[in-house]
């Protein structure tokens, strides 16, 4: 197995979901073994923030990375796009505090990655690859996230909401080995962020979702979706898999395992990523 990076740079601009701040992201090819990392090019000295679980500084409604005072928020969809498309090494320059939400999914990132293409680099350092030999899990109340040993990569997610338009949804994403990127681009990446109408006012009063709109998030109320059509009948649960892929990518290369989650959050996803990271440190 070889590491991969982008064949050329990618640029997108847009508004951050929580901050409402307009930012530009420029993703550049990076050296072998350098991983995925952010660079806050708007700040003096252009500080670097590694996209690693050790750098997670907050997980309230989105995943935020930071080193010291320097942070970058809502990294999960972009990181899922890179990991899902097999981009191991990438320098992600951003001129503000939050990754643009774009259409609420990873579709735009994934299409750009497919457009520029990838280049093969050196062989993967075995120390960068975590072997899941036994089940690992974290839980909170009735929510959980686990990783089971498996012959190939699989993500299974369950959600349950009282709103009838969402209800109970279960979905497994099991790509054919070697074709993960094609399957990720068609089955997971296009699934958009969703929000519940009754929570929106509270979130806005709390100073969150300043950049949220009916153009970048599906909104569900008691009578159904406010802004149909959906891209998939089960778009919400597919989006949860997108979030999980992004959060698990904070360990580096996605470990070959069956990830199973139920009613989980960025917080639980990151807790599992921390456990996997600890295994990786133990392995080396
Ligand atoms: Zn998300």
């Amino acid at each position: 197995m070889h590491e991969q990076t982008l064949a050329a740079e990618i640029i997108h601009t847009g508004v951050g979901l929580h901050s409402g701040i307009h930012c530009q992201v420029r993703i550049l090819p990076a050296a072998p073994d350098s991983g995925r990392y952010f660079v806050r090019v708007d700040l003096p000295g252009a500080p670097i923030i590694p996209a690693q679980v050790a750098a997670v500084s907050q997980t309230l409604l989105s995943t935020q990375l930071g080193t010291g005072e320097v942070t970058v928020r809502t990294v999960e969809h972009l990181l899922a796009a890179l990991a899902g498309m097999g981009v191991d090494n990438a320098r992600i320059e951003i001129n503000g505090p939050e990754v643009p939400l774009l259409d609420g999914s990873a579709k735009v990132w994934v299409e750009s990655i497919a457009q520029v293409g990838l280049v093969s680099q050196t062989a993967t350092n075995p120390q960068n690859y975590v072997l899941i030999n036994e089940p690992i899990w974290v839980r909170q109340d009735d929510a959980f996230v686990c990783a089971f040993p498996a012959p190939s990569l699989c993500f299974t997610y369950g959600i349950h909401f009282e709103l009838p338009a969402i209800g109970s949804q279960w979905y497994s994403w099991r790509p054919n080995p070697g074709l993960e990127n094609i399957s990720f681009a068609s089955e997971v990446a296009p699934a958009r962020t969703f929000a519940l109408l009754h929570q929106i006012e509270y979130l806005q009063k709390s100073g969150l979702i300043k950049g949220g709109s009916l153009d970048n998030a599906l909104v569900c109320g008691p009578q159904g979706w406010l802004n149909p059509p959906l891209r998939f009948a089960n778009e919400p649960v597919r989006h949860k898999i997108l979030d999980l892929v992004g959060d698990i990518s904070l360990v580096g290369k996605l470990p070959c395992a069956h990830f199973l989650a139920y009613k989980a959050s960025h917080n639980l996803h990151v807790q599992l990523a921390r456990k996997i990271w600890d295994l990786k440190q133990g392995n080396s």
Side-chain angles (χ1 to χ4, degrees), residues 11-17 19-26 94-103 108-109 211 216:
I11 297 182
H12 285 292
T13 58
V15 167
L17 169 63
S19 62
I21 294 173
H22 200 270
C23 289
Q24 176 180 282
V25 169
R26 185 170 168 234
I94 182 164
N95 67 353
E98 188 173 14
V99 175
L101 188 62
L102 305 175
D103 72 347
V108 176
W109 299 119
N216 57 25

Side-chain angles (χ1 to χ4, degrees), residues 76-77 104 193 239 242-243 266:
E76 56 269 20
H77 305 157
T193 305
H239 185 80
L242 177 67
D243 283 341
H266 290 297

Side-chain angles (χ1 to χ4, degrees), residues 161-218:
F161 289 88
E162 293 303 326
L163 293 168
I166 305 179
S168 283
Q169 299 184 0
W170 280 93
Y171 180 66
S172 277
W173 174 55
R174 183 190 291 276
N176 284 334
L179 298 172
E180 287 88 352
N181 54 349
I182 294 168
S183 155
F184 180 81
S186 61
E187 293 172 35
V188 178
R192 290 164 293 173
T193 305
F194 62 100
L196 310 182
L197 184 60
H198 68 267
Q199 289 177 344
I200 287 179
E201 196 183 347
Y202 166 78
L203 293 172
Q204 284 172 335
K205 277 187 184 152
S206 310
L208 293 161
I209 64 164
K210 287 178 189 152
S213 78
L214 291 174
D215 294 327
N216 57 25
L218 287 167

Side-chain angles (χ1 to χ4, degrees), residues 55-108:
V56 173
S57 56
Q58 209 215 81
T59 51
L60 181 66
L61 300 174
S62 70
T63 301
Q64 175 178 296
L65 302 173
T67 44
E69 300 283 287
V70 181
T71 58
V72 59
R73 180 154 203 192
T74 316
V75 296
E76 56 269 20
H77 305 157
L78 170 55
L79 293 182
L82 292 169
M85 296 299 281
V87 183
D88 301 299
N89 302 305
R91 175 184 171 93
I92 310 161
E93 296 184 350
I94 182 164
N95 67 353
E98 188 173 14
V99 175
L101 188 62
L102 305 175
D103 72 347
S105 77
K107 188 169 183 275
V108 176

Side-chain angles (χ1 to χ4, degrees), residues 129-138 144-158 170-175 241 244-245 248 254-262 272 276:
Y129 193 76
V130 197
L131 216 55
I132 308 284
N133 285 322
E134 54 186 56
I136 315 169
W137 52 273
V138 294
F144 59 81
V145 191
C146 347
F148 291 98
S152 60
L153 186 66
C154 184
F155 284 83
T156 298
Y157 217 114
W170 280 93
Y171 180 66
S172 277
W173 174 55
R174 183 190 291 276
I241 288 185
L244 182 58
V245 171
I248 296 297
L254 292 177
C256 179
H258 187 168
F259 293 90
L260 169 64
Y262 179 64
L272 186 81
I276 296 172

